Amino acid sequence: MRESAFRAGAMVSRIAQLALVDCLFIGVAKRRFAETVDALQRTRQATNALRD
């Protein structure tokens, strides 16, 4: 089954949006490194129970 040009364009658009959000996150994380590390550690602790 071939994918329509509209569907391919939507997928490319979504990937571009996600890449932009990733870049923004990295930019903020670099500027606020200590707070970012703390938040990521708290997130890991909160989600560890869900993995078991």
Side-chain angles (χ1 to χ4, degrees):
M1 179 174 186
R2 294 188 66 205
E3 193 172 86
S4 71
F6 178 75
R7 177 78 178 133
M11 186 65 71
V12 170
S13 175
R14 172 137 328 148
I15 291 170
Q17 290 172 1
L18 291 172
L20 180 61
V21 169
D22 286 346
C23 290
L24 290 171
F25 177 84
I26 295 299
V28 171
K30 285 177 68 174
R31 288 180 182 261
R32 303 180 66 179
F33 185 77
E35 293 95 337
T36 300
V37 169
D38 181 53
L40 290 173
Q41 287 173 341
R42 286 186 285 124
T43 300
R44 173 175 271 179
Q45 290 170 353
T47 59
N48 269 342
L50 301 174
R51 286 187 230 160
D52 294 334

